[in-house]
PDB file of all heavy atoms in Angstrom:
ATOM      1  N   LEU A   1      -0.332 -21.388 -14.053  1.00 95.00           N
ATOM      2  CA  LEU A   1      -1.813 -21.491 -13.559  1.00 95.00           C
ATOM      3  C   LEU A   1      -1.863 -21.271 -12.106  1.00 95.00           C
ATOM      4  O   LEU A   1      -2.727 -20.504 -11.678  1.00 95.00           O
ATOM      5  CB  LEU A   1      -2.360 -22.849 -14.007  1.00 95.00           C
ATOM      6  CG  LEU A   1      -3.757 -23.133 -13.520  1.00 95.00           C
ATOM      7  CD1 LEU A   1      -4.869 -22.134 -14.234  1.00 95.00           C
ATOM      8  CD2 LEU A   1      -4.063 -24.576 -13.879  1.00 95.00           C
ATOM      9  N   GLN A   2      -1.006 -21.952 -11.297  1.00 95.00           N
ATOM     10  CA  GLN A   2      -1.027 -21.873  -9.868  1.00 95.00           C
ATOM     11  C   GLN A   2      -0.689 -20.475  -9.420  1.00 95.00           C
ATOM     12  O   GLN A   2      -1.341 -19.871  -8.453  1.00 95.00           O
ATOM     13  CB  GLN A   2      -0.141 -22.896  -9.229  1.00 95.00           C
ATOM     14  CG  GLN A   2      -0.158 -22.862  -7.722  1.00 95.00           C
ATOM     15  CD  GLN A   2      -1.441 -23.365  -7.118  1.00 95.00           C
ATOM     16  OE1 GLN A   2      -2.440 -23.766  -7.857  1.00 95.00           O
ATOM     17  NE2 GLN A   2      -1.576 -23.253  -5.840  1.00 95.00           N
ATOM     18  N   ILE A   3       0.291 -19.820 -10.029  1.00 97.00           N
ATOM     19  CA  ILE A   3       0.635 -18.419  -9.646  1.00 97.00           C
ATOM     20  C   ILE A   3      -0.544 -17.545  -9.959  1.00 97.00           C
ATOM     21  O   ILE A   3      -0.897 -16.728  -9.092  1.00 97.00           O
ATOM     22  CB  ILE A   3       1.880 -17.984 -10.501  1.00 97.00           C
ATOM     23  CG1 ILE A   3       3.046 -18.731 -10.079  1.00 97.00           C
ATOM     24  CG2 ILE A   3       2.095 -16.474 -10.539  1.00 97.00           C
ATOM     25  CD1 ILE A   3       4.307 -18.671 -10.999  1.00 97.00           C
ATOM     26  N   ASN A   4      -1.224 -17.639 -11.070  1.00 97.00           N
ATOM     27  CA  ASN A   4      -2.280 -16.818 -11.384  1.00 97.00           C
ATOM     28  C   ASN A   4      -3.510 -17.040 -10.497  1.00 97.00           C
ATOM     29  O   ASN A   4      -4.242 -16.104 -10.176  1.00 97.00           O
ATOM     30  CB  ASN A   4      -2.569 -16.927 -12.878  1.00 97.00           C
ATOM     31  CG  ASN A   4      -1.672 -16.280 -13.854  1.00 97.00           C
ATOM     32  OD1 ASN A   4      -1.320 -15.114 -13.616  1.00 97.00           O
ATOM     33  ND2 ASN A   4      -1.209 -17.129 -14.823  1.00 97.00           N
ATOM     34  N   ARG A   5      -3.727 -18.259 -10.174  1.00 96.00           N
ATOM     35  CA  ARG A   5      -4.806 -18.573  -9.148  1.00 96.00           C
ATOM     36  C   ARG A   5      -4.485 -17.846  -7.804  1.00 96.00           C
ATOM     37  O   ARG A   5      -5.450 -17.298  -7.228  1.00 96.00           O
ATOM     38  CB  ARG A   5      -4.975 -20.112  -8.877  1.00 96.00           C
ATOM     39  CG  ARG A   5      -5.598 -20.815  -9.972  1.00 96.00           C
ATOM     40  CD  ARG A   5      -5.571 -22.309  -9.678  1.00 96.00           C
ATOM     41  NE  ARG A   5      -6.244 -23.086 -10.655  1.00 96.00           N
ATOM     42  CZ  ARG A   5      -6.222 -24.429 -10.775  1.00 96.00           C
ATOM     43  NH1 ARG A   5      -5.533 -25.130  -9.739  1.00 96.00           N
ATOM     44  NH2 ARG A   5      -6.869 -25.106 -11.572  1.00 96.00           N
ATOM     45  N   LEU A   6      -3.310 -17.916  -7.352  1.00 96.00           N
ATOM     46  CA  LEU A   6      -2.966 -17.263  -6.138  1.00 96.00           C
ATOM     47  C   LEU A   6      -3.128 -15.741  -6.168  1.00 96.00           C
ATOM     48  O   LEU A   6      -3.583 -15.095  -5.248  1.00 96.00           O
ATOM     49  CB  LEU A   6      -1.454 -17.542  -5.702  1.00 96.00           C
ATOM     50  CG  LEU A   6      -1.216 -19.028  -5.287  1.00 96.00           C
ATOM     51  CD1 LEU A   6       0.248 -19.392  -5.397  1.00 96.00           C
ATOM     52  CD2 LEU A   6      -1.719 -19.232  -3.812  1.00 96.00           C
ATOM     53  N   ILE A   7      -2.693 -15.137  -7.341  1.00 97.00           N
ATOM     54  CA  ILE A   7      -2.863 -13.725  -7.452  1.00 97.00           C
ATOM     55  C   ILE A   7      -4.256 -13.315  -7.409  1.00 97.00           C
ATOM     56  O   ILE A   7      -4.755 -12.314  -6.845  1.00 97.00           O
ATOM     57  CB  ILE A   7      -2.143 -13.318  -8.828  1.00 97.00           C
ATOM     58  CG1 ILE A   7      -0.693 -13.438  -8.668  1.00 97.00           C
ATOM     59  CG2 ILE A   7      -2.613 -11.937  -9.165  1.00 97.00           C
ATOM     60  CD1 ILE A   7       0.077 -13.345 -10.065  1.00 97.00           C
ATOM     61  N   LYS A   8      -5.125 -14.098  -8.166  1.00 96.00           N
ATOM     62  CA  LYS A   8      -6.625 -13.863  -8.079  1.00 96.00           C
ATOM     63  C   LYS A   8      -7.229 -14.079  -6.700  1.00 96.00           C
ATOM     64  O   LYS A   8      -7.944 -13.192  -6.350  1.00 96.00           O
ATOM     65  CB  LYS A   8      -7.259 -14.738  -9.096  1.00 96.00           C
ATOM     66  CG  LYS A   8      -8.714 -14.432  -9.372  1.00 96.00           C
ATOM     67  CD  LYS A   8      -9.327 -15.295 -10.456  1.00 96.00           C
ATOM     68  CE  LYS A   8     -10.810 -15.039 -10.600  1.00 96.00           C
ATOM     69  NZ  LYS A   8     -11.467 -15.913 -11.516  1.00 96.00           N
ATOM     70  N   GLN A   9      -6.836 -15.157  -6.150  1.00 95.00           N
ATOM     71  CA  GLN A   9      -7.349 -15.394  -4.771  1.00 95.00           C
ATOM     72  C   GLN A   9      -7.003 -14.361  -3.803  1.00 95.00           C
ATOM     73  O   GLN A   9      -7.810 -13.891  -2.970  1.00 95.00           O
ATOM     74  CB  GLN A   9      -6.845 -16.782  -4.340  1.00 95.00           C
ATOM     75  CG  GLN A   9      -7.309 -17.133  -2.981  1.00 95.00           C
ATOM     76  CD  GLN A   9      -6.545 -18.277  -2.314  1.00 95.00           C
ATOM     77  OE1 GLN A   9      -5.384 -18.393  -2.555  1.00 95.00           O
ATOM     78  NE2 GLN A   9      -7.283 -19.136  -1.613  1.00 95.00           N
ATOM     79  N   LYS A  10      -5.778 -13.766  -3.988  1.00 95.00           N
ATOM     80  CA  LYS A  10      -5.307 -12.778  -2.982  1.00 95.00           C
ATOM     81  C   LYS A  10      -5.785 -11.354  -3.515  1.00 95.00           C
ATOM     82  O   LYS A  10      -5.458 -10.417  -2.797  1.00 95.00           O
ATOM     83  CB  LYS A  10      -3.787 -12.848  -2.897  1.00 95.00           C
ATOM     84  CG  LYS A  10      -3.413 -14.248  -2.208  1.00 95.00           C
ATOM     85  CD  LYS A  10      -1.917 -14.340  -2.246  1.00 95.00           C
ATOM     86  CE  LYS A  10      -1.452 -15.781  -1.889  1.00 95.00           C
ATOM     87  NZ  LYS A  10      -1.931 -16.262  -0.564  1.00 95.00           N
ATOM     88  N   LYS A  11      -6.432 -11.321  -4.610  1.00 96.00           N
ATOM     89  CA  LYS A  11      -6.978 -10.114  -5.088  1.00 96.00           C
ATOM     90  C   LYS A  11      -5.882  -9.036  -5.216  1.00 96.00           C
ATOM     91  O   LYS A  11      -6.000  -7.822  -4.780  1.00 96.00           O
ATOM     92  CB  LYS A  11      -8.063  -9.501  -4.388  1.00 96.00           C
ATOM     93  CG  LYS A  11      -9.304 -10.502  -4.245  1.00 96.00           C
ATOM     94  CD  LYS A  11     -10.379 -10.059  -3.371  1.00 96.00           C
ATOM     95  CE  LYS A  11     -11.478 -11.050  -3.303  1.00 96.00           C
ATOM     96  NZ  LYS A  11     -12.458 -10.852  -2.318  1.00 96.00           N
ATOM     97  N   LEU A  12      -4.702  -9.360  -5.842  1.00 96.00           N
ATOM     98  CA  LEU A  12      -3.593  -8.525  -6.036  1.00 96.00           C
ATOM     99  C   LEU A  12      -3.673  -7.841  -7.438  1.00 96.00           C
ATOM    100  O   LEU A  12      -4.041  -8.487  -8.372  1.00 96.00           O
ATOM    101  CB  LEU A  12      -2.260  -9.239  -5.864  1.00 96.00           C
ATOM    102  CG  LEU A  12      -2.004  -9.963  -4.639  1.00 96.00           C
ATOM    103  CD1 LEU A  12      -0.721 -10.872  -4.608  1.00 96.00           C
ATOM    104  CD2 LEU A  12      -1.783  -8.875  -3.479  1.00 96.00           C
ATOM    105  N   THR A  13      -3.270  -6.570  -7.480  1.00 96.00           N
ATOM    106  CA  THR A  13      -3.210  -5.898  -8.759  1.00 96.00           C
ATOM    107  C   THR A  13      -1.883  -6.384  -9.357  1.00 96.00           C
ATOM    108  O   THR A  13      -0.934  -6.768  -8.785  1.00 96.00           O
ATOM    109  CB  THR A  13      -3.208  -4.425  -8.627  1.00 96.00           C
ATOM    110  OG1 THR A  13      -2.046  -4.000  -7.839  1.00 96.00           O
ATOM    111  CG2 THR A  13      -4.456  -3.917  -7.858  1.00 96.00           C
ATOM    112  N   GLN A  14      -1.653  -6.098 -10.710  1.00 96.00           N
ATOM    113  CA  GLN A  14      -0.496  -6.403 -11.488  1.00 96.00           C
ATOM    114  C   GLN A  14       0.663  -5.518 -10.913  1.00 96.00           C
ATOM    115  O   GLN A  14       1.791  -6.068 -10.798  1.00 96.00           O
ATOM    116  CB  GLN A  14      -0.597  -6.180 -12.936  1.00 96.00           C
ATOM    117  CG  GLN A  14      -1.487  -7.324 -13.556  1.00 96.00           C
ATOM    118  CD  GLN A  14      -1.513  -7.270 -15.152  1.00 96.00           C
ATOM    119  OE1 GLN A  14      -0.725  -6.490 -15.715  1.00 96.00           O
ATOM    120  NE2 GLN A  14      -2.108  -8.242 -15.675  1.00 96.00           N
ATOM    121  N   VAL A  15       0.391  -4.306 -10.479  1.00 97.00           N
ATOM    122  CA  VAL A  15       1.448  -3.515  -9.878  1.00 97.00           C
ATOM    123  C   VAL A  15       1.918  -4.000  -8.528  1.00 97.00           C
ATOM    124  O   VAL A  15       3.196  -4.138  -8.375  1.00 97.00           O
ATOM    125  CB  VAL A  15       0.917  -2.051  -9.732  1.00 97.00           C
ATOM    126  CG1 VAL A  15       1.933  -1.201  -8.960  1.00 97.00           C
ATOM    127  CG2 VAL A  15       0.559  -1.370 -11.039  1.00 97.00           C
ATOM    128  N   LYS A  16       1.048  -4.529  -7.752  1.00 97.00           N
ATOM    129  CA  LYS A  16       1.433  -5.156  -6.426  1.00 97.00           C
ATOM    130  C   LYS A  16       2.180  -6.394  -6.647  1.00 97.00           C
ATOM    131  O   LYS A  16       3.107  -6.705  -6.013  1.00 97.00           O
ATOM    132  CB  LYS A  16       0.205  -5.384  -5.502  1.00 97.00           C
ATOM    133  CG  LYS A  16      -0.358  -4.170  -4.917  1.00 97.00           C
ATOM    134  CD  LYS A  16      -1.589  -4.467  -4.071  1.00 97.00           C
ATOM    135  CE  LYS A  16      -2.266  -3.180  -3.501  1.00 97.00           C
ATOM    136  NZ  LYS A  16      -3.436  -3.489  -2.689  1.00 97.00           N
ATOM    137  N   VAL A  17       1.784  -7.203  -7.639  1.00 97.00           N
ATOM    138  CA  VAL A  17       2.404  -8.485  -7.986  1.00 97.00           C
ATOM    139  C   VAL A  17       3.834  -8.199  -8.519  1.00 97.00           C
ATOM    140  O   VAL A  17       4.810  -8.864  -8.066  1.00 97.00           O
ATOM    141  CB  VAL A  17       1.588  -9.339  -9.030  1.00 97.00           C
ATOM    142  CG1 VAL A  17       2.371 -10.499  -9.488  1.00 97.00           C
ATOM    143  CG2 VAL A  17       0.219  -9.705  -8.498  1.00 97.00           C
ATOM    144  N   ALA A  18       3.935  -7.163  -9.311  1.00 97.00           N
ATOM    145  CA  ALA A  18       5.216  -6.813  -9.817  1.00 97.00           C
ATOM    146  C   ALA A  18       6.223  -6.462  -8.697  1.00 97.00           C
ATOM    147  O   ALA A  18       7.376  -6.936  -8.726  1.00 97.00           O
ATOM    148  CB  ALA A  18       5.067  -5.672 -10.789  1.00 97.00           C
ATOM    149  N   LYS A  19       5.771  -5.778  -7.701  1.00 97.00           N
ATOM    150  CA  LYS A  19       6.603  -5.300  -6.603  1.00 97.00           C
ATOM    151  C   LYS A  19       7.032  -6.541  -5.841  1.00 97.00           C
ATOM    152  O   LYS A  19       8.087  -6.794  -5.398  1.00 97.00           O
ATOM    153  CB  LYS A  19       5.951  -4.353  -5.698  1.00 97.00           C
ATOM    154  CG  LYS A  19       5.932  -2.947  -6.360  1.00 97.00           C
ATOM    155  CD  LYS A  19       5.188  -1.928  -5.411  1.00 97.00           C
ATOM    156  CE  LYS A  19       4.991  -0.528  -6.144  1.00 97.00           C
ATOM    157  NZ  LYS A  19       4.253   0.335  -5.314  1.00 97.00           N
ATOM    158  N   LEU A  20       5.993  -7.436  -5.555  1.00 97.00           N
ATOM    159  CA  LEU A  20       6.214  -8.562  -4.809  1.00 97.00           C
ATOM    160  C   LEU A  20       7.121  -9.576  -5.351  1.00 97.00           C
ATOM    161  O   LEU A  20       8.066 -10.164  -4.697  1.00 97.00           O
ATOM    162  CB  LEU A  20       4.907  -9.442  -4.465  1.00 97.00           C
ATOM    163  CG  LEU A  20       4.968 -10.605  -3.644  1.00 97.00           C
ATOM    164  CD1 LEU A  20       5.410 -10.348  -2.242  1.00 97.00           C
ATOM    165  CD2 LEU A  20       3.589 -11.296  -3.712  1.00 97.00           C
ATOM    166  N   LEU A  21       6.985  -9.784  -6.773  1.00 97.00           N
ATOM    167  CA  LEU A  21       7.842 -10.687  -7.461  1.00 97.00           C
ATOM    168  C   LEU A  21       9.183 -10.150  -7.906  1.00 97.00           C
ATOM    169  O   LEU A  21       9.986 -10.778  -8.650  1.00 97.00           O
ATOM    170  CB  LEU A  21       7.063 -11.353  -8.572  1.00 97.00           C
ATOM    171  CG  LEU A  21       5.820 -12.100  -8.189  1.00 97.00           C
ATOM    172  CD1 LEU A  21       5.153 -12.635  -9.567  1.00 97.00           C
ATOM    173  CD2 LEU A  21       5.983 -13.136  -7.149  1.00 97.00           C
ATOM    174  N   ASP A  22       9.304  -8.778  -7.736  1.00 96.00           N
ATOM    175  CA  ASP A  22      10.401  -8.065  -8.109  1.00 96.00           C
ATOM    176  C   ASP A  22      10.720  -8.129  -9.692  1.00 96.00           C
ATOM    177  O   ASP A  22      11.786  -8.406 -10.131  1.00 96.00           O
ATOM    178  CB  ASP A  22      11.693  -8.545  -7.467  1.00 96.00           C
ATOM    179  CG  ASP A  22      12.938  -7.533  -7.550  1.00 96.00           C
ATOM    180  OD1 ASP A  22      12.725  -6.454  -7.651  1.00 96.00           O
ATOM    181  OD2 ASP A  22      14.168  -8.000  -7.530  1.00 96.00           O
ATOM    182  N   ILE A  23       9.581  -7.998 -10.441  1.00 97.00           N
ATOM    183  CA  ILE A  23       9.682  -7.892 -11.889  1.00 97.00           C
ATOM    184  C   ILE A  23       8.758  -6.743 -12.314  1.00 97.00           C
ATOM    185  O   ILE A  23       8.165  -6.121 -11.503  1.00 97.00           O
ATOM    186  CB  ILE A  23       9.076  -9.141 -12.491  1.00 97.00           C
ATOM    187  CG1 ILE A  23       7.569  -9.420 -12.075  1.00 97.00           C
ATOM    188  CG2 ILE A  23       9.945 -10.345 -12.256  1.00 97.00           C
ATOM    189  CD1 ILE A  23       6.892 -10.628 -12.768  1.00 97.00           C
ATOM    190  N   ASP A  24       8.933  -6.334 -13.641  1.00 96.00           N
ATOM    191  CA  ASP A  24       8.159  -5.233 -14.062  1.00 96.00           C
ATOM    192  C   ASP A  24       6.667  -5.648 -14.429  1.00 96.00           C
ATOM    193  O   ASP A  24       6.389  -6.899 -14.601  1.00 96.00           O
ATOM    194  CB  ASP A  24       8.777  -4.454 -15.202  1.00 96.00           C
ATOM    195  CG  ASP A  24       9.047  -5.260 -16.371  1.00 96.00           C
ATOM    196  OD1 ASP A  24       8.516  -6.392 -16.552  1.00 96.00           O
ATOM    197  OD2 ASP A  24       9.801  -4.786 -17.229  1.00 96.00           O
ATOM    198  N   GLN A  25       5.747  -4.746 -14.354  1.00 96.00           N
ATOM    199  CA  GLN A  25       4.376  -4.988 -14.672  1.00 96.00           C
ATOM    200  C   GLN A  25       4.129  -5.724 -16.017  1.00 96.00           C
ATOM    201  O   GLN A  25       3.322  -6.584 -15.961  1.00 96.00           O
ATOM    202  CB  GLN A  25       3.599  -3.693 -14.510  1.00 96.00           C
ATOM    203  CG  GLN A  25       1.997  -3.962 -14.656  1.00 96.00           C
ATOM    204  CD  GLN A  25       1.526  -3.882 -16.067  1.00 96.00           C
ATOM    205  OE1 GLN A  25       2.182  -3.147 -16.929  1.00 96.00           O
ATOM    206  NE2 GLN A  25       0.632  -4.699 -16.437  1.00 96.00           N
ATOM    207  N   PRO A  26       4.659  -5.325 -17.109  1.00 97.00           N
ATOM    208  CA  PRO A  26       4.521  -6.068 -18.343  1.00 97.00           C
ATOM    209  C   PRO A  26       4.831  -7.554 -18.302  1.00 97.00           C
ATOM    210  O   PRO A  26       4.218  -8.363 -18.857  1.00 97.00           O
ATOM    211  CB  PRO A  26       5.389  -5.263 -19.358  1.00 97.00           C
ATOM    212  CG  PRO A  26       5.541  -3.966 -18.848  1.00 97.00           C
ATOM    213  CD  PRO A  26       5.585  -4.068 -17.349  1.00 97.00           C
TER     214      PRO A  26
END
C-alpha cells in the first residue's frame, strides 16, 4: 500500500517504476 501510494504521489508510470525497482513491468 505504501509503495503504491508513493508511486501515485510521484506520478510514475509502471515503466518508470519497473526501471527504478529493477523489475519488469508485469
Side-chain angles (χ1 to χ4, degrees):
L1 174 67
Q2 183 66 6
I3 291 165
N4 287 310
R5 283 179 179 168
L6 288 163
I7 291 167
K8 184 177 180 181
Q9 180 192 37
K10 296 170 189 307
K11 299 177 183 168
L12 299 172
T13 65
Q14 286 193 357
V15 172
K16 287 181 182 177
V17 172
K19 287 179 184 175
L20 179 66
L21 302 183
D22 196 28
I23 59 176
D24 58 14
Q25 183 275 326

